[in-house]
């Protein structure tokens, strides 16, 4: 396969059955686009993906921050596919697990409600994979 382009959009939420209002922290809009290109010079294979998870209500008037991730990879096979070397990266913004909590940080007086979450990190890495045994090619 030479080129692949794929996209998806999903929108969902959970609703309070008695009031019909959206429940806090339920999923909202998620968009994803993926592309691969296998016919680069030097037998390189490229992959790129962008994903966005939209804002969502967290309750008590708080709204989450959207999460955006751009991932990519550049990979080359050696020795008839038995060895692969690649460079992978992710450029991200936003927080996963966003919710609200009532807490006081050191140096603060009374606890109060605030939005909390775990920052989604950006990274770059290098990988080497070796496949032991016989590889069958169709």
């Amino acid at each position: 396969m030479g080129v692949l382009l794929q996209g998806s959009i999903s929108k969902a939420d959970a609703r309070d059955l008695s009031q019909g209002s959206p429940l806090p922290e339920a999923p909202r809009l998620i968009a994803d686009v993926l592309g691969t290109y296998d016919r680069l010079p030097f037998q390189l294979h490229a992959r790129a993906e962008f994903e966005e998870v939209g804002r969502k209500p967290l309750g008590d008037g708080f709204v989450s921050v959207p999460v955006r991730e751009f991932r990519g990879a550049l990979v080359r096979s050696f020795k008839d596919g038995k060895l692969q070397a690649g460079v992978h990266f992710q450029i991200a913004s936003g927080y996963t697990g966003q919710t609200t909590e009532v807490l006081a940080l050191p140096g603060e007086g009374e606890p109060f409600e605030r939005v909390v979450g775990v920052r989604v990190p950006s990274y770059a890495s290098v990988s080497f994979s070796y496949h032991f045994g016989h590889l069958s090619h169709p």
Side-chain angles (χ1 to χ4, degrees), residues 32-124:
D32 189 82
V33 177
L34 167 68
T36 64
Y37 190 67
D38 292 333
R39 295 185 180 165
L40 290 171
F42 310 109
Q43 300 174 3
L44 291 169
H45 306 275
R47 181 179 188 267
E49 181 178 11
F50 176 76
E51 180 178 62
E52 179 170 348
V53 178
R55 296 176 181 270
K56 59 186 177 182
L58 299 175
D60 296 333
F62 291 100
V63 177
S64 72
V65 175
V67 178
R68 294 184 181 104
E69 299 173 348
F70 178 69
R71 293 180 284 277
L74 197 57
V75 178
R76 186 175 191 288
S77 294
F78 300 93
K79 297 187 178 237
D80 293 326
K82 291 189 93 160
L83 175 66
Q84 285 189 337
V87 176
H88 310 267
F89 69 89
Q90 173 174 283
I91 301 169
S93 67
Y95 300 85
T96 187
Q98 295 177 78
T99 189
T100 58
E101 289 193 14
V102 177
L103 55 99
L105 297 176
E108 295 180 347
E110 293 294 314
F112 64 92
E113 188 172 27
R114 63 183 87 205
V115 176
V116 296
V118 178
R119 186 179 65 82
V120 179
S122 296
Y123 66 84

Coordinates of all heavy atoms in Angstrom, one line a residue, residues 32-124:
D32 N -10.3 12.8 14.5 CA -9.1 12.1 14.3 C -8.8 12.0 12.8 O -9.7 11.6 12.1 CB -9.2 10.7 15.0 CG -7.8 10.0 15.0 OD1 -7.0 10.3 15.9 OD2 -7.6 9.2 14.1
V33 N -7.6 12.4 12.4 CA -7.2 12.2 11.0 C -5.8 11.5 11.0 O -4.9 11.8 11.8 CB -7.0 13.6 10.3 CG1 -6.5 13.4 8.9 CG2 -8.3 14.4 10.4
L34 N -5.7 10.4 10.2 CA -4.5 9.6 10.1 C -4.1 9.5 8.6 O -4.9 9.4 7.7 CB -4.8 8.2 10.6 CG -3.8 7.1 10.4 CD1 -2.5 7.4 11.1 CD2 -4.4 5.8 10.7
G35 N -2.8 9.6 8.4 CA -2.3 9.5 7.1 C -1.0 8.7 7.1 O -0.2 8.9 8.0
T36 N -0.8 7.8 6.1 CA 0.5 7.1 5.9 C 1.0 7.3 4.5 O 0.2 7.4 3.6 CB 0.4 5.6 6.3 OG1 -0.5 5.0 5.4 CG2 -0.1 5.4 7.7
Y37 N 2.3 7.2 4.3 CA 2.9 7.3 3.0 C 4.1 6.3 3.0 O 5.0 6.5 3.8 CB 3.3 8.7 2.6 CG 3.7 8.9 1.2 CD1 2.7 8.8 0.2 CD2 5.0 9.2 0.8 CE1 3.1 8.9 -1.1 CE2 5.3 9.3 -0.5 CZ 4.4 9.2 -1.5 OH 4.7 9.3 -2.8
D38 N 4.0 5.3 2.1 CA 5.0 4.3 2.1 C 6.0 4.4 1.0 O 6.9 3.5 0.9 CB 4.3 2.9 2.1 CG 3.6 2.6 3.3 OD1 4.0 3.1 4.4 OD2 2.6 1.8 3.3
R39 N 5.9 5.3 0.2 CA 6.8 5.4 -1.0 C 7.8 6.6 -1.0 O 8.0 7.3 -1.9 CB 6.0 5.5 -2.3 CG 5.2 4.2 -2.5 CD 4.5 4.2 -3.8 NE 3.7 2.9 -3.8 CZ 2.8 2.7 -4.7 NH1 2.4 3.6 -5.5 NH2 2.1 1.5 -4.7
L40 N 8.4 6.8 0.2 CA 9.3 7.9 0.3 C 10.7 7.4 -0.2 O 11.0 6.2 -0.2 CB 9.4 8.3 1.8 CG 8.2 9.0 2.4 CD1 8.4 9.2 3.9 CD2 8.1 10.4 1.7
P41 N 11.6 8.3 -0.5 CA 13.0 7.9 -0.8 C 13.6 7.1 0.3 O 13.3 7.3 1.5 CB 13.7 9.3 -1.1 CG 12.6 10.3 -1.3 CD 11.4 9.8 -0.5
F42 N 14.6 6.3 -0.1 CA 15.4 5.5 0.9 C 14.6 4.5 1.6 O 14.9 4.1 2.7 CB 16.1 6.4 1.9 CG 16.9 7.5 1.3 CD1 16.5 8.9 1.4 CD2 18.1 7.3 0.5 CE1 17.2 9.9 0.8 CE2 18.8 8.3 -0.1 CZ 18.3 9.6 0.1
Q43 N 13.5 4.1 1.0 CA 12.6 3.0 1.6 C 12.0 3.4 2.9 O 11.7 2.6 3.8 CB 13.3 1.7 1.7 CG 13.8 1.2 0.4 CD 14.6 -0.1 0.5 OE1 14.8 -0.6 1.6 NE2 15.2 -0.5 -0.6
L44 N 11.8 4.7 3.1 CA 11.2 5.2 4.4 C 9.7 5.1 4.3 O 9.1 5.3 3.3 CB 11.6 6.7 4.6 CG 13.1 6.9 5.0 CD1 13.4 8.3 4.9 CD2 13.4 6.3 6.3
H45 N 9.0 4.9 5.5 CA 7.6 4.9 5.6 C 7.2 6.0 6.7 O 7.8 6.1 7.7 CB 7.1 3.6 6.2 CG 7.6 2.4 5.4 ND1 6.9 2.0 4.2 CD2 8.7 1.6 5.5 CE1 7.6 1.0 3.7 NE2 8.6 0.7 4.4
A46 N 6.3 6.9 6.3 CA 5.9 8.0 7.2 C 4.4 7.7 7.7 O 3.6 7.2 6.9 CB 6.0 9.3 6.5
R47 N 4.2 8.2 8.9 CA 2.8 8.1 9.5 C 2.6 9.4 10.3 O 3.5 9.8 11.1 CB 2.8 6.9 10.4 CG 1.4 6.7 11.1 CD 1.4 5.4 11.9 NE 0.1 5.1 12.4 CZ -0.3 5.5 13.6 NH1 0.4 6.2 14.4 NH2 -1.6 5.2 14.0
A48 N 1.4 10.0 10.1 CA 1.1 11.2 10.9 C -0.4 11.1 11.3 O -1.2 10.6 10.6 CB 1.3 12.4 10.1
E49 N -0.7 11.6 12.5 CA -2.0 11.6 13.1 C -2.3 12.8 13.9 O -1.4 13.2 14.7 CB -2.2 10.3 13.9 CG -3.6 10.2 14.5 CD -3.8 8.9 15.3 OE1 -2.8 8.2 15.6 OE2 -4.9 8.6 15.6
F50 N -3.5 13.4 13.7 CA -3.9 14.5 14.5 C -5.2 14.1 15.2 O -6.1 13.6 14.6 CB -4.1 15.8 13.7 CG -4.7 16.9 14.5 CD1 -3.8 17.6 15.3 CD2 -6.0 17.2 14.5 CE1 -4.3 18.7 16.1 CE2 -6.5 18.2 15.2 CZ -5.7 19.0 16.0
E51 N -5.3 14.3 16.5 CA -6.5 14.0 17.3 C -6.8 15.2 18.2 O -5.9 15.8 18.8 CB -6.3 12.8 18.1 CG -7.5 12.4 18.9 CD -7.2 11.1 19.7 OE1 -6.4 11.1 20.6 OE2 -7.9 10.1 19.4
E52 N -8.1 15.5 18.2 CA -8.6 16.6 19.1 C -9.8 16.1 19.9 O -10.7 15.5 19.3 CB -8.9 17.8 18.4 CG -9.5 18.9 19.3 CD -9.6 20.3 18.7 OE1 -9.1 20.5 17.6 OE2 -10.3 21.1 19.4
V53 N -9.8 16.2 21.2 CA -10.9 15.9 22.1 C -11.4 17.3 22.5 O -10.7 18.0 23.2 CB -10.5 15.0 23.3 CG1 -11.7 14.8 24.2 CG2 -10.0 13.7 22.8
G54 N -12.6 17.6 22.2 CA -13.1 19.0 22.4 C -13.4 19.3 23.9 O -13.3 18.4 24.8
R55 N -13.8 20.5 24.2 CA -14.1 20.9 25.5 C -15.4 20.1 26.0 O -16.2 19.7 25.2 CB -14.5 22.4 25.5 CG -13.3 23.3 25.2 CD -13.8 24.7 25.2 NE -12.7 25.6 24.8 CZ -11.9 26.2 25.7 NH1 -12.1 26.0 27.0 NH2 -10.9 27.0 25.3
K56 N -15.5 20.0 27.3 CA -16.6 19.3 27.9 C -16.9 20.0 29.3 O -16.0 20.4 29.9 CB -16.4 17.8 28.1 CG -15.2 17.5 28.9 CD -15.0 16.0 28.9 CE -13.8 15.6 29.8 NZ -13.5 14.2 29.8
P57 N -18.2 20.1 29.6 CA -18.5 20.6 31.0 C -18.0 19.7 32.1 O -18.1 18.5 32.0 CB -20.0 20.8 30.9 CG -20.5 19.8 29.9 CD -19.4 19.6 28.9
L58 N -17.5 20.3 33.1 CA -17.0 19.5 34.3 C -17.9 19.7 35.5 O -17.6 19.1 36.5 CB -15.6 19.9 34.6 CG -14.6 19.7 33.5 CD1 -13.2 20.3 34.0 CD2 -14.5 18.2 33.2
G59 N -19.0 20.5 35.4 CA -19.9 20.7 36.5 C -19.6 22.0 37.2 O -18.5 22.5 37.1
D60 N -20.6 22.5 37.9 CA -20.4 23.8 38.6 C -19.9 24.9 37.8 O -19.2 25.8 38.3 CB -19.6 23.6 39.9 CG -20.2 22.6 40.9 OD1 -21.4 22.5 40.9 OD2 -19.5 22.0 41.6
G61 N -20.2 24.9 36.5 CA -19.8 26.0 35.7 C -18.4 25.9 35.1 O -17.9 26.8 34.3
F62 N -17.6 24.8 35.4 CA -16.3 24.6 34.9 C -16.3 23.9 33.6 O -17.2 23.1 33.3 CB -15.4 23.8 35.9 CG -15.1 24.5 37.2 CD1 -15.9 24.2 38.3 CD2 -14.1 25.4 37.2 CE1 -15.6 24.9 39.5 CE2 -13.8 26.0 38.4 CZ -14.5 25.8 39.6
V63 N -15.4 24.2 32.7 CA -15.3 23.6 31.4 C -13.9 23.2 31.2 O -12.9 23.8 31.6 CB -15.7 24.6 30.3 CG1 -15.5 24.0 28.9 CG2 -17.1 25.1 30.5
S64 N -13.7 22.0 30.6 CA -12.3 21.4 30.4 C -11.6 22.2 29.3 O -12.2 22.9 28.5 CB -12.4 20.0 30.0 OG -13.0 19.8 28.7
V65 N -10.3 21.9 29.2 CA -9.4 22.4 28.1 C -9.4 21.4 27.0 O -9.3 20.2 27.4 CB -8.0 22.6 28.7 CG1 -7.0 23.0 27.6 CG2 -8.0 23.6 29.8
P66 N -9.5 21.7 25.8 CA -9.4 20.7 24.7 C -8.0 20.0 24.7 O -7.0 20.6 25.1 CB -9.7 21.4 23.4 CG -9.5 22.9 23.7 CD -9.7 23.0 25.2
V67 N -8.0 18.8 24.3 CA -6.8 18.0 24.2 C -6.4 17.9 22.7 O -7.3 17.4 22.0 CB -6.9 16.6 24.9 CG1 -5.6 15.8 24.7 CG2 -7.3 16.7 26.3
R68 N -5.2 18.3 22.4 CA -4.8 18.2 21.0 C -3.5 17.4 20.9 O -2.5 17.7 21.7 CB -4.6 19.6 20.4 CG -5.9 20.3 20.2 CD -5.7 21.6 19.5 NE -7.0 22.3 19.5 CZ -7.3 23.4 20.2 NH1 -6.5 23.8 21.1 NH2 -8.5 23.9 20.1
E69 N -3.4 16.4 20.0 CA -2.2 15.6 19.9 C -1.8 15.5 18.4 O -2.7 15.1 17.6 CB -2.4 14.3 20.5 CG -2.6 14.3 22.0 CD -3.0 12.9 22.5 OE1 -3.2 11.9 21.7 OE2 -3.0 12.7 23.7
F70 N -0.6 15.8 18.1 CA -0.1 15.5 16.7 C 1.0 14.5 16.9 O 2.0 14.7 17.5 CB 0.4 16.8 16.1 CG 1.0 16.5 14.7 CD1 0.2 16.2 13.6 CD2 2.3 16.7 14.5 CE1 0.7 15.9 12.4 CE2 2.9 16.4 13.2 CZ 2.0 16.0 12.2
R71 N 0.8 13.3 16.3 CA 1.8 12.2 16.4 C 2.4 11.9 15.0 O 1.7 12.0 14.0 CB 1.2 10.9 17.0 CG 0.7 11.1 18.4 CD 0.1 9.8 18.9 NE -1.2 9.6 18.4 CZ -2.3 10.1 19.0 NH1 -2.2 10.9 20.0 NH2 -3.5 9.9 18.5
G72 N 3.6 11.5 15.0 CA 4.2 11.1 13.7 C 5.3 10.1 13.9 O 5.9 9.9 15.0
A73 N 5.7 9.5 12.8 CA 6.8 8.5 12.8 C 7.4 8.4 11.4 O 6.7 8.6 10.4 CB 6.2 7.1 13.2
L74 N 8.7 8.1 11.4 CA 9.4 7.8 10.2 C 10.2 6.5 10.4 O 11.0 6.5 11.3 CB 10.3 9.0 9.9 CG 10.9 9.1 8.5 CD1 9.8 9.2 7.5 CD2 11.8 10.4 8.4
V75 N 9.9 5.5 9.6 CA 10.4 4.1 9.9 C 11.0 3.6 8.6 O 10.6 3.8 7.5 CB 9.3 3.2 10.4 CG1 9.8 1.8 10.6 CG2 8.6 3.8 11.6
R76 N 12.1 2.8 8.8 CA 12.7 2.1 7.7 C 13.0 0.7 8.1 O 13.4 0.4 9.2 CB 14.1 2.8 7.3 CG 14.7 2.1 6.0 CD 15.9 2.9 5.6 NE 16.4 2.5 4.2 CZ 16.9 1.4 3.9 NH1 17.1 0.4 4.8 NH2 17.4 1.1 2.7
S77 N 12.8 -0.2 7.1 CA 13.0 -1.7 7.4 C 14.4 -2.1 6.7 O 14.7 -1.5 5.7 CB 11.9 -2.5 6.7 OG 10.7 -2.3 7.4
F78 N 15.0 -3.0 7.4 CA 16.3 -3.6 6.9 C 16.2 -5.1 6.9 O 15.3 -5.6 7.6 CB 17.5 -3.1 7.8 CG 17.6 -1.6 7.8 CD1 17.0 -0.9 8.8 CD2 18.4 -0.9 6.9 CE1 17.2 0.5 8.9 CE2 18.6 0.4 7.0 CZ 17.9 1.1 8.0
K79 N 17.1 -5.8 6.3 CA 17.2 -7.2 6.3 C 15.9 -7.9 6.0 O 15.4 -8.7 6.7 CB 17.8 -7.7 7.6 CG 19.2 -7.2 7.9 CD 19.7 -7.9 9.1 CE 21.1 -7.4 9.3 NZ 22.1 -8.4 9.4
D80 N 15.3 -7.5 4.9 CA 14.0 -8.1 4.4 C 12.9 -8.0 5.5 O 12.1 -8.9 5.7 CB 14.1 -9.5 4.0 CG 15.0 -9.7 2.7 OD1 14.9 -8.8 1.9 OD2 15.7 -10.7 2.7
G81 N 12.9 -6.9 6.2 CA 11.8 -6.6 7.2 C 12.1 -7.2 8.6 O 11.3 -7.0 9.5
K82 N 13.2 -7.8 8.8 CA 13.5 -8.4 10.1 C 13.9 -7.3 11.1 O 13.7 -7.5 12.3 CB 14.6 -9.5 10.0 CG 14.1 -10.7 9.3 CD 15.1 -11.8 9.4 CE 14.7 -12.6 10.6 NZ 15.2 -13.9 10.7
L83 N 14.5 -6.2 10.6 CA 15.0 -5.2 11.5 C 14.3 -3.9 11.0 O 14.2 -3.6 9.9 CB 16.5 -5.0 11.3 CG 17.1 -3.8 12.1 CD1 17.0 -4.1 13.6 CD2 18.6 -3.7 11.7
Q84 N 13.8 -3.1 12.0 CA 13.1 -1.8 11.8 C 13.7 -0.8 12.7 O 13.9 -1.1 13.9 CB 11.6 -1.9 12.0 CG 10.9 -2.6 10.9 CD 9.4 -2.4 11.1 OE1 8.9 -2.1 12.1 NE2 8.6 -2.6 10.0
A85 N 14.0 0.4 12.1 CA 14.5 1.5 12.9 C 13.5 2.7 12.6 O 13.1 2.9 11.5 CB 15.9 1.9 12.5
G86 N 13.2 3.4 13.7 CA 12.3 4.5 13.5 C 12.5 5.7 14.5 O 13.1 5.5 15.5
V87 N 11.9 6.8 14.1 CA 11.9 8.0 14.9 C 10.4 8.3 15.1 O 9.6 8.3 14.1 CB 12.6 9.2 14.3 CG1 12.4 10.4 15.1 CG2 14.0 8.9 14.0
H88 N 10.0 8.5 16.3 CA 8.6 8.7 16.7 C 8.5 10.0 17.5 O 9.4 10.3 18.3 CB 8.0 7.6 17.5 CG 8.3 6.2 16.8 ND1 7.4 5.6 16.0 CD2 9.3 5.4 16.9 CE1 7.9 4.5 15.6 NE2 9.1 4.3 16.1
F89 N 7.4 10.8 17.4 CA 7.2 12.0 18.2 C 5.7 12.2 18.4 O 4.8 11.7 17.8 CB 7.8 13.2 17.5 CG 7.1 13.6 16.3 CD1 6.0 14.5 16.3 CD2 7.4 13.1 15.0 CE1 5.3 14.9 15.2 CE2 6.7 13.5 13.9 CZ 5.7 14.4 14.0
Q90 N 5.5 13.0 19.5 CA 4.1 13.5 19.8 C 4.3 15.0 20.3 O 5.1 15.3 21.1 CB 3.5 12.7 20.9 CG 2.1 13.3 21.3 CD 1.4 12.4 22.3 OE1 0.8 11.4 21.9 NE2 1.4 12.7 23.6
I91 N 3.5 15.8 19.7 CA 3.4 17.2 20.1 C 2.0 17.4 20.7 O 1.0 17.2 20.0 CB 3.6 18.2 19.0 CG1 5.0 18.0 18.4 CG2 3.5 19.7 19.5 CD1 5.3 18.7 17.1
A92 N 1.9 17.7 22.0 CA 0.6 17.6 22.6 C 0.3 18.9 23.4 O 1.2 19.6 23.9 CB 0.5 16.4 23.5
S93 N -1.0 19.1 23.6 CA -1.4 20.2 24.5 C -2.7 19.7 25.2 O -3.5 19.0 24.6 CB -1.7 21.5 23.8 OG -2.8 21.4 22.9
G94 N -2.9 20.2 26.4 CA -4.1 19.8 27.1 C -3.8 18.8 28.3 O -2.7 18.5 28.6
Y95 N -4.9 18.4 28.9 CA -4.8 17.5 30.1 C -5.8 16.3 29.9 O -6.9 16.5 29.5 CB -5.2 18.3 31.3 CG -4.3 19.5 31.5 CD1 -4.6 20.7 30.9 CD2 -3.2 19.4 32.4 CE1 -3.7 21.8 31.1 CE2 -2.4 20.5 32.5 CZ -2.6 21.7 31.9 OH -1.8 22.8 32.1
T96 N -5.3 15.2 30.4 CA -6.2 14.0 30.4 C -6.8 13.8 31.8 O -6.2 14.3 32.7 CB -5.4 12.7 29.9 OG1 -6.3 11.7 29.8 CG2 -4.3 12.4 30.9
G97 N -7.9 13.2 31.9 CA -8.5 13.0 33.2 C -9.0 14.2 33.9 O -9.0 14.3 35.1
Q98 N -9.4 15.2 33.1 CA -9.9 16.5 33.6 C -11.1 16.3 34.5 O -12.1 15.7 34.0 CB -10.1 17.5 32.5 CG -8.8 17.9 31.8 CD -9.0 18.8 30.7 OE1 -9.2 20.0 30.9 NE2 -9.1 18.3 29.5
T99 N -11.1 16.9 35.6 CA -12.3 16.8 36.5 C -12.1 18.0 37.5 O -11.2 18.8 37.4 CB -12.3 15.5 37.3 OG1 -13.5 15.4 38.0 CG2 -11.2 15.3 38.2
T100 N -13.0 18.1 38.4 CA -12.9 19.1 39.5 C -12.7 18.5 40.8 O -13.2 17.4 41.1 CB -14.2 20.0 39.5 OG1 -15.3 19.2 39.8 CG2 -14.4 20.8 38.2
E101 N -11.9 19.1 41.6 CA -11.7 18.7 43.0 C -11.6 19.9 43.9 O -11.2 21.0 43.5 CB -10.4 17.9 43.1 CG -10.4 16.6 42.4 CD -9.2 15.7 42.8 OE1 -8.5 16.0 43.7 OE2 -9.0 14.7 42.1
V102 N -12.0 19.6 45.2 CA -11.9 20.7 46.2 C -10.7 20.4 47.0 O -10.6 19.3 47.7 CB -13.2 20.7 47.1 CG1 -13.0 21.7 48.2 CG2 -14.4 21.0 46.3
L103 N -9.7 21.3 46.9 CA -8.5 21.1 47.7 C -7.7 22.4 47.9 O -8.0 23.4 47.3 CB -7.5 20.1 46.9 CG -7.2 20.4 45.5 CD1 -5.8 21.1 45.4 CD2 -7.2 19.2 44.6
A104 N -6.8 22.3 48.9 CA -6.0 23.5 49.2 C -4.5 23.1 48.9 O -4.1 22.1 49.4 CB -6.2 23.9 50.6
L105 N -3.8 23.9 48.2 CA -2.4 23.7 47.9 C -1.6 24.3 49.1 O -2.1 25.1 49.8 CB -2.0 24.3 46.6 CG -2.7 23.7 45.4 CD1 -2.3 24.5 44.1 CD2 -2.4 22.2 45.2
P106 N -0.3 23.8 49.2 CA 0.5 24.4 50.3 C 0.6 25.9 50.2 O 0.7 26.5 49.1 CB 1.9 23.8 50.0 CG 1.6 22.5 49.3 CD 0.4 22.8 48.5
G107 N 0.4 26.6 51.3 CA 0.5 28.1 51.3 C -0.9 28.7 51.1 O -1.0 29.9 51.1
E108 N -1.9 27.9 50.8 CA -3.3 28.4 50.6 C -4.1 28.2 51.9 O -3.8 27.3 52.6 CB -4.0 27.8 49.4 CG -3.4 28.0 48.1 CD -4.1 27.4 47.0 OE1 -4.9 26.5 47.2 OE2 -3.8 27.7 45.8
G109 N -5.1 29.0 52.1 CA -5.9 28.9 53.3 C -6.9 27.8 53.1 O -6.6 26.6 53.3
E110 N -8.1 28.2 52.9 CA -9.3 27.3 52.7 C -9.2 26.6 51.4 O -8.9 27.1 50.4 CB -10.6 28.1 52.8 CG -10.8 28.6 54.2 CD -11.0 27.6 55.3 OE1 -11.8 26.6 55.0 OE2 -10.4 27.7 56.3
P111 N -9.6 25.3 51.4 CA -9.7 24.6 50.1 C -10.9 25.2 49.2 O -11.8 25.7 49.8 CB -10.1 23.1 50.5 CG -10.2 23.1 52.0 CD -10.0 24.5 52.5
F112 N -10.7 25.1 47.9 CA -11.7 25.5 47.0 C -11.7 24.7 45.8 O -10.8 24.0 45.5 CB -11.6 27.0 46.7 CG -10.4 27.4 45.9 CD1 -10.4 27.4 44.5 CD2 -9.2 27.7 46.6 CE1 -9.2 27.8 43.8 CE2 -8.1 28.1 45.9 CZ -8.1 28.1 44.5
E113 N -12.8 24.7 45.0 CA -13.0 23.8 43.9 C -12.2 24.4 42.7 O -12.2 25.6 42.4 CB -14.4 23.7 43.5 CG -14.7 22.7 42.4 CD -16.2 22.5 42.1 OE1 -17.0 23.4 42.4 OE2 -16.5 21.3 41.7
R114 N -11.5 23.5 42.0 CA -10.7 23.9 40.9 C -10.6 22.7 39.9 O -10.9 21.6 40.2 CB -9.3 24.3 41.3 CG -8.5 23.2 41.9 CD -7.1 23.6 42.4 NE -7.2 24.1 43.7 CZ -6.4 24.9 44.3 NH1 -5.3 25.3 43.6 NH2 -6.5 25.3 45.5
V115 N -10.2 23.0 38.6 CA -10.1 22.0 37.6 C -8.7 21.4 37.7 O -7.7 22.1 37.9 CB -10.2 22.6 36.2 CG1 -10.0 21.6 35.1 CG2 -11.6 23.2 36.0
V116 N -8.7 20.1 37.7 CA -7.4 19.3 37.8 C -7.3 18.3 36.7 O -8.3 17.9 36.1 CB -7.2 18.6 39.2 CG1 -7.2 19.6 40.3 CG2 -8.4 17.6 39.4
G117 N -6.1 17.9 36.3 CA -5.9 16.9 35.3 C -4.4 16.6 35.2 O -3.6 17.3 35.8
V118 N -4.1 15.6 34.4 CA -2.7 15.3 34.1 C -2.3 15.8 32.8 O -2.9 15.5 31.7 CB -2.5 13.7 34.2 CG1 -1.1 13.3 33.9 CG2 -3.0 13.2 35.5
R119 N -1.2 16.6 32.7 CA -0.8 17.2 31.4 C -0.3 16.1 30.5 O 0.3 15.1 30.9 CB 0.4 18.1 31.7 CG 0.9 18.9 30.5 CD 2.0 19.8 30.8 NE 3.2 19.1 31.2 CZ 4.1 18.6 30.3 NH1 3.9 18.6 29.0 NH2 5.2 17.9 30.7
V120 N -0.8 16.2 29.2 CA -0.4 15.2 28.2 C 1.0 15.7 27.7 O 1.1 16.8 27.2 CB -1.4 15.2 27.0 CG1 -0.9 14.2 26.0 CG2 -2.8 14.8 27.5
P121 N 2.0 14.8 27.8 CA 3.4 15.3 27.4 C 3.7 15.2 25.9 O 3.1 14.4 25.2 CB 4.3 14.3 28.2 CG 3.4 13.0 28.2 CD 2.0 13.5 28.3
S122 N 4.6 16.0 25.5 CA 5.2 15.9 24.1 C 6.5 15.1 24.3 O 7.1 15.1 25.3 CB 5.5 17.3 23.6 OG 4.4 18.1 23.4
Y123 N 6.8 14.4 23.2 CA 8.0 13.6 23.3 C 8.6 13.3 21.9 O 7.9 13.4 20.9 CB 7.8 12.2 24.1 CG 6.8 11.3 23.3 CD1 7.3 10.4 22.3 CD2 5.5 11.3 23.6 CE1 6.5 9.6 21.6 CE2 4.6 10.4 22.9 CZ 5.1 9.6 21.9 OH 4.3 8.8 21.2
A124 N 9.8 12.8 21.9 CA 10.4 12.2 20.7 C 11.2 11.0 21.1 O 11.8 10.9 22.2 CB 11.3 13.2 20.0

